Structures are given as structure tokens and as C-alpha cells.
């Protein structure tokens, strides 16, 4: 299957600004989203996304079609940048932002979608980084299991093990939200 | 596909079949059609959990960020190497227009043939960073995989 970005990347390598703008429109939200879910910080996520595109501009001229899917390569670059940052800062997961209120004590309180979303984000940051990386790639970045395994440098079996553990950890962290959601579904 | 395999994949990928291994989706759908109620109940529970996880979505990137990123992209002037010595040659007045045109064309051809290529050592270093055998984050990630604490 032809890489949908191949033609754009070639034009970017030739200095076509319009092609660069289209490539940014296509992929910037995904890159920011990946970095935000991995790092838990919007400003840092934008820094990483910018760095990803600097690498894109640097290597577009030498990109050889057919060697790999360009979007998979971008994801690999972004994930490596995030993992580097996490290691440098000593963040490995298990940290919840001190500003976020702990809603686990109020399991009976009805939660709206925005609160649930915030809890999901907090729970993602609590995951060990390898589980978070696997889940982010497969659930939020729409990478296939093969692409995600390749990006992380693991086998598909190892990826599935990471995903299972991630889901188990998240279910435990989000038990109140799950109960609230299920009760909402049952009464509707 | 047997039930054990179905449950293993469900525990990893959830109830969204588009995430499942491509070559196992059809078998999973067939399995679900005839699955006992307890399996279907587990499926529905996982589907509800998927809905919770899906509340977390990508937001559009700000215009400011888009503009900033695009501004750093290469343009044709930065991609094209300056024309070689012949292009900067200043013709003395006695040279005819045809000779000037021929010289400029030759200079352009020499300059164009020398399109810049990324430094091979830099590309190799970057490729190394991306591979699991390299000394970069990829191999650090793989080393951490062996850590039983995680």
C-alpha cells in the first residue's frame, strides 16, 4: 500500500512551503496528543511536537519511499523524544498532578464527561511509562499492533502483555468512574 | 479462534475490533456471534471501559503553533545550493549576450548538479538512535523491558 505522505514529503524536501503546511495540518495534532499523553504537560508536548517537525524538515530531502511508512517514523521519533524527556526528568509514572483533586473518594457523585476525561488523563500519567507508551500508540494514535511493536522495539506478544497490564491498571484507577458510567448506562 | 485466545486479545485491545490483529478480526466476530452470555457480558463491560478511555481525545493544534512549526520548514532557497563560480562570473563588456547566456546556463547546470545531501554520518547517527540496537532511547526502552519491577 502506497504511503499517503510520500508525495508531500518529497515536495517538502524540495522546499515546498505549501506541502509543509499540509503535512503539519495532517500530523501536528497527533504529535501534540501523543506527547501530551506521555508527558502530562501541554507546553512540553508542544516543544516535542516542534522538535519532531524539525527532524522531519531535516530528513525530508533524504526520505526514501518504500523503506517505512512516514507516519510510523514520525511516531517513533516522537516516542523516543518523550521517553528521553521522562528519563532525564526522572518521571516514570505513578505521579498525579497535585492540583488535580482526588475524586476517588466521591464515588457516588455523578461525574460529567469532562471530569471523567480529566480522570482518564490523570490515570494515564499514573501508568508505568512502558504501559503508557503501548496504550497511547494503540488506543490514541491508531497504530496497528505491528507498528506499535516496531516503534517500541518489542515483539507483538510483549506489546499485548503491556496493553493487558495497562488496561488492568487503568481499570483499578478508574473504578469509581467505571461504576458511575455503568450506572448511567443501566438507568438510560 | 478459541475462547482463551479471544479473552487474551480482549484483555489487550478491548472491544474495538479495529485494534485487534488484522488476521484475527473475522474469527473474533464469528466467535462473538455464538459466544455464551458470560463472554458477551465481559465484552460489553470492556466496551463500556473503551468508551471511558475514548473521552480522552486529540485537540486541534493552535494556529500559533501551526504557524510556528511551518515557519521552520525549508524553503526552496535553503534547499538549493548557491550556483558555482561560473554563476558569479562578471562578464567584461566586450562579451556578447549569447556568450553570457551560454555561460550562465553552464553555471546553473554545475550548481544544480551539486544538490545538497544530508551528511551521511548525521543520518547514520540518527538511524542508530531509532533502532533497538542503537545506543539511544530505543535500546534504553528495550533494556527497561527486562526490568521485572515494571
Amino acid at each position: 500500500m502506497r504511503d499517503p505522505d510520500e508525495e508531500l514529503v518529497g515536495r517538502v524536501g524540495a522546499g515546498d512551503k505549501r506541502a509543509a503546511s499540509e503535512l503539519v495540518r495532517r500530523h501536528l495534532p497527533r504529535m501534540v496528543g501523543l506527547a501530551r499523553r506521555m508527558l502530562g504537560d501541554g507546553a512540553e508536548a508542544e516543544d516535542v511536537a516542534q522538535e519532531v517537525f524539525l527532524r522531519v524538515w531535516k530528513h525530508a530531502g533524504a526520505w526514501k519511499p518504500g523503506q517505512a511508512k512516514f507516519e510510523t517514523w514520525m511516531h517513533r521519533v516522537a516516542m523516543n523524544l518523550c521517553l528521553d524527556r521522562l528519563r532525564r526528568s526522572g518521571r516514570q509514572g505513578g505521579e498525579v498532578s497535585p492540583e488535580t483533586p482526588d475524586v476517588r473518594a466521591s464515588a457516588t457523585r455523578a461525574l460529567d464527561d469532562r471530569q471523567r476525561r480529566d480522570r482518564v488523563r490523570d490515570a494515564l500519567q499514573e501508568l508505568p511509562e512502558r504501559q503508557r507508551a503501548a496504550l497511547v500508540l494503540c488506543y490514541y494514535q491508531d497504530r496497528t499492533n505491528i507498528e506499535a511493536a516496531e516503534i517500541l522495539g518489542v515483539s507483538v506478544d510483549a506489546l499485548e502483555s503491556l496493553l493487558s497490564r495497562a488496561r488492568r491498571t487503568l481499570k483499578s484507577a478508574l473504578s469509581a468512574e467505571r461504576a458511575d458510567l455503568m450506572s448511567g448506562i443501566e438507568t438510560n | 479462534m478459541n475462547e482463551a485466545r479471544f479473552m487474551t486479545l480482549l484483555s489487550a485491545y478491548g472491544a474495538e475490533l479495529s485494534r485487534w490483529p488484522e488476521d484475527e478480526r473475522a474469527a473474533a466476530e464469528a466467535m462473538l456471534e455464538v459466544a455464551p452470555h458470560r463472554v458477551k457480558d465481559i465484552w460489553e463491560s470492556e466496551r463500556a471501559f473503551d468508551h471511558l478511555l475514548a473521552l480522552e481525545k486529540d485537540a486541534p493544534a493552535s494556529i500559533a503553533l501551526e504557524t510556528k512549526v511551518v515557519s521552520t520548514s525549508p524553503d526552496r532557497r535553503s534547499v538549493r545550493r548557491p550556483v558555482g563560480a561560473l554563476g558569479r562570473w562578471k562578464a567584461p563588456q566586450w562579451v556578447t549576450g549569447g556568450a553570457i547566456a551560454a555561460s550562465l546556463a553552464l553555471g546553473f547546470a554545475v550548481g544544480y548538479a551539486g544538490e545538497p545531501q544530508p551528511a551521511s554520518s548525521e543520518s547514520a547517527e540518527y538511524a542508530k538512535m531509532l533502532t533497538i540496537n542503537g545506543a539511544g532511547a530505543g535500546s534504553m526502552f528495550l533494556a527497561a523491558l527486562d526490568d521485572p519491577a515494571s
Side-chain angles (χ1 to χ4, degrees), chain A residues 58 121 130 165 167 171, chain B residues 46 53 56 122 150:
Chain A
K58 191 173 180 182
R121 284 184 176 175
R130 294 181 299 143
R165 282 185 278 158
R167 272 183 85 90
K171 280 179 194 171
Chain B
E46 296 298 326
L53 295 182
E56 159 62 9
E122 199 173 22
S150 296

Side-chain angles (χ1 to χ4, degrees), chain B residues 48 50 93 121 142:
Chain B
D50 287 342
Q93 287 184 330
S121 62
L142 193 61

Side-chain angles (χ1 to χ4, degrees), chain B residues 72-121:
Chain B
T72 59
S73 65
D75 57 28
R76 295 187 197 283
R77 283 169 297 174
S78 63
V79 167
R80 192 178 63 238
R81 195 177 265 175
V83 176
L86 285 174
R88 291 197 293 270
W89 177 58
K90 190 175 176 182
Q93 287 184 330
W94 53 265
V95 175
T96 64
I100 293 171
S103 298
L104 286 173
L106 181 59
F108 179 78
V110 168
Y112 190 77
E115 278 296 321
Q117 297 296 323
S120 57
S121 62

